[in-house]
Amino acid sequence: MSRNPPGHSWSGFTEAQAKLLDLLDHLGNNGWARNPQTEELMPKVLSDLHEVGLSLERIRNAMASLGYDNDALHQLDRWESKRTTGRFGR
């Protein structure tokens, strides 16, 4: 379940960035908890977001604007660690 309300637009983001943010929101239905689905998808989605010019800080701010709490946002930090170092962060 995404938190993105109907009619929401990603103001200030390109179309490619917005599509990836929508996918990240969709994957965040469980706060980006570690499971087989997120193990497979999260490093790639974060890499794709990085490739379209979004820093982790901008990604976190975008997800916070939808209502994700600090615990969920901390999971994004952990996934970024997995993407950049190959290890799931603490």
Side-chain angles (χ1 to χ4, degrees):
M1 167 179 150
S2 72
R3 294 178 183 236
N4 196 339
H8 177 269
S9 68
W10 292 106
S11 181
F13 295 96
T14 68
E15 186 176 334
Q17 291 169 337
K19 286 181 181 183
L20 288 167
L21 289 170
D22 282 339
L23 176 57
L24 184 63
D25 177 36
H26 174 74
L27 294 174
N29 67 342
N30 62 359
W32 299 290
R34 194 171 185 185
N35 61 48
Q37 179 188 22
T38 54
E39 281 283 342
E40 182 177 335
L41 296 174
M42 284 299 292
K44 177 163 182 10
V45 171
L46 288 174
S47 181
D48 291 347
L49 283 160
H50 179 76
E51 287 178 16
V52 296
L54 289 180
S55 66
L56 182 60
E57 183 178 344
R58 278 199 75 199
I59 296 165
R60 286 175 48 92
N61 288 338
M63 294 300 114
S65 76
L66 296 178
Y68 285 98
D69 64 18
N70 285 335
D71 290 333
L73 297 174
H74 176 69
Q75 292 301 318
L76 288 177
D77 295 335
R78 297 179 77 199
W79 284 112
E80 180 67 0
S81 175
K82 174 81 172 187
R83 179 186 80 81
T84 59
T85 68
R87 293 183 158 182
F88 195 69
R90 293 181 185 231

